[in-house]
Amino acid sequence: MWEYTDKVKEHFLKPRNVGEVENPDGVATVGSLACGDALKLTFKLDENGRITDARFKTFGCASAIASASALTEIIKGMTVEEAAKVTNQDIANFLGGLPDEKMHCSVMGREALEAAIANYRGEPGPMEEGKIICECFGVTEEEIARVVRENNLRTIEEVTNYTKAGGGCGGCHEAIQEIIDRVRGEGKAVTRPKLSNIQKIKMIEETIDREIRPLLQQDGGDLELIDVVGNRVMVATRGACASCAASQLTMKQVVEAKLRELVWPELEVEEVSQ
Amino acid sequence: MKPIYLDNNATSQVAPEVLEAMLPFLQEFYGNPSSMHTFGGQVGRKVREAREQVANILGAAPDEIIFTSCGTESDNTAIRSALATNPGKRHIVTTRVEHPAVLSLAARLGQEGYRATEIPVDAEGRLNMEQYAKSLSPDTAIVSMMWANNETGVIFPVEEAATLAHNRGILFHTDAVQAVGKIPIDLRRNCIDMLSLSGHKLHAPKGVGALYVRKGTRFSPFLVGGHQEKGRRGGTENVPSIIALGLACDLAARKMTLENTVVKDLRDKLENALLTKVPRCRVNGDRNQRLPNTSNISFEFVEGEAILLRLDEYAICASSGSACTSGSLQPSHVLRAMGVPFTMAHGSIRFSLSIYNTDKEIDAVIDTMPAIIENLRAMSPYWEVGDVICAGVES
């Protein structure tokens, strides 16, 4: 069912560093039996503050076991400061990649590491506070914002793949979308590659057919693309839209907004009669 | 490595005799049964024979059998037909442990303005018959209740339930996909109105099924097209697979006793051995009212996908009710409906046998499983040799 890389299979069938370090310098357990994923990480430091031993115990699937095995291999030899910079993407990359739906296993690895480091430093656990967004899986706002930022996530589905949030009752989907929008809105503007004329026209055509016309058709209306000149998109309304008083609003708020979002932010939609 | 295939409730191998019977219809006898010429007509005769064979294993008449593409199509057809022929009624009754073919349809119907009641089950997977009886109302168009559950093998009292429905003037449909071929069914002994079956669960190929509709039942077709199946299901007949299905039903009828003795004994041997050799595990589902081939066992503190992939190394094939294998993030809805605690649901494994499994294969599984569980438990933060640590268990 899952397309696992050879590295994932290897770390699952022959995991490294299984067990518990005696008298660990850092220890943490994340996840739960209820969730179907749990990881206990322990590590020991030498006199130079480098991790000499790291062990794991996991309750979970092949990805969870492989992620934990990979994590312990990655951090051995690092200082605590270096280990604190390890991301979930590092874990996934070490394994040659994980299936999308399993990315949350790599996130769990990173969470355990952070908690163990916090434990070593005598600080409170990083993910313990924060507003719970997903009740089904106990995922906080902070956690969601973080995976969106660190992994450049765009959709609710991706957030679910990385944190499980939204994968239960679905009641938190709106809240997740808000967080995605907020996080993606901040920071540098998304730089789009320049589109050639022919690419732009094709994309406008596709977007109109796929995203816009079905919406209008639901209400008995329709739209026809007449021409594209520079950034001016000329369309003609059909069906119910042709005689609708609100069609001007539709042009701006639905058609233009969607085309700006999905194709090019400077497009302008004009209604023409034909 | 030849697979040790213990996942027959997911799908089953095509019986060699069945494959042989199909081949001529994939080679020289490719005619359309509806054609006027002999070339097509002779094929039509074979389809009629297959229809009789399917009718026989159900205790039905041939003209009560409609060939479909699969169990899911049969389920969709039956339920939508009941709603279409009872336009005043907007309610359907079903159970919480049905196959997605029924439950997803019920959810979709909910969006279309119908109401669905899902009867719950107890910890052993048995239906609450009191609640069932109470749920039947003048607004109920149909009851859809599976004959046997695909995950646990638990058998429902569908014959009794059908009578209760009938007394209230309500149609009764059963998804018997897992039951046909494994336990005897005789539709002359009950008042079930419609029944679904699926070819690939009884050693016919995938892509063929059947829907039984009792004579006299008002019917509205789902797949509308040509006049095939007497106008009840459009589309040129999947001749090779229909012939396969017919022969597979014939074989299953002959092997019914084997299924309920030899296969049952192998299942019991496997189950009892695992329960004895592996600590902290339990069977999910009523062990008495159950299909003869199915065993659903939960192993505490280890996870299903990990178990399956370890078994995979030995080419042992089974399935699991864990979240990781469910395709969603929740463990099996059947186990959840039974109130199986999450601590157990994630570590559940379903073994489903067939007449093709041997004693030697079962021995191999018995020899392999305990070590796998032990190994995975050694890795688990919740298991300590000799003493169980339940750290962080959320109840």
Side-chain angles (χ1 to χ4, degrees), chain B residues 221-252:
Chain B
F222 181 60
L223 214 50
V224 170
H227 298 300
Q228 295 87 358
E229 300 299 296
K230 296 212 165 75
R232 293 178 302 178
R233 195 266 188 185
T236 304
E237 299 88 336
N238 183 348
V239 172
S241 295
I242 286 172
I243 288 168
L245 177 60
L247 183 56
C249 285
D250 194 53
L251 291 172

Side-chain angles (χ1 to χ4, degrees), chain A residues 48-91:
Chain A
N48 299 319
R50 286 195 176 269
I51 298 173
T52 50
D53 198 8
R55 305 263 173 123
F56 80 90
K57 282 214 165 168
T58 293
F59 163 76
C61 61
S63 298
I65 292 172
S67 294
S69 170
L71 171 66
T72 53
E73 288 285 278
I74 290 171
I75 63 176
K76 266 161 66 166
M78 285 186 170
T79 62
V80 173
E81 288 68 36
E82 287 166 342
K85 298 205 189 101
V86 171
T87 64
N88 72 286
Q89 202 60 48
D90 292 332
I91 298 172

Side-chain angles (χ1 to χ4, degrees), chain A residues 2 4 12-13 15 18 31-36 38 40 57-62 65 102 137 160 164 167-168, chain B residues 301-303 305-306 309-310 313 324-325 327 329-330 342-343 346 376 378-384 392-394:
Chain A
W2 304 115
Y4 281 141
F12 164 62
L13 292 169
V18 176
S32 70
L33 268 174
C35 269
K40 182 173 187 183
K57 282 214 165 168
T58 293
F59 163 76
C61 61
I65 292 172
K102 295 290 192 176
F137 293 104
T160 307
K164 296 193 188 180
Chain B
F301 309 121
V302 292
E303 191 274 333
E305 182 195 297
L309 289 179
R310 293 292 299 269
E313 290 290 290
C324 290
T325 56
L329 286 169
Q330 308 268 36
F342 280 128
T343 60
H346 290 299
L376 288 171
M379 262 193 258
S380 172
Y382 298 116
W383 179 265
E384 194 80 4
V393 170
E394 257 118 89

Side-chain angles (χ1 to χ4, degrees), chain A residues 13 17 27 39 63 84 117 169 185 214 217-218 225:
Chain A
L13 292 169
N17 311 309
V27 55
L39 166 54
S63 298
I117 290 175
C169 68
Q217 281 161 1
Q218 263 176 29
L225 177 64

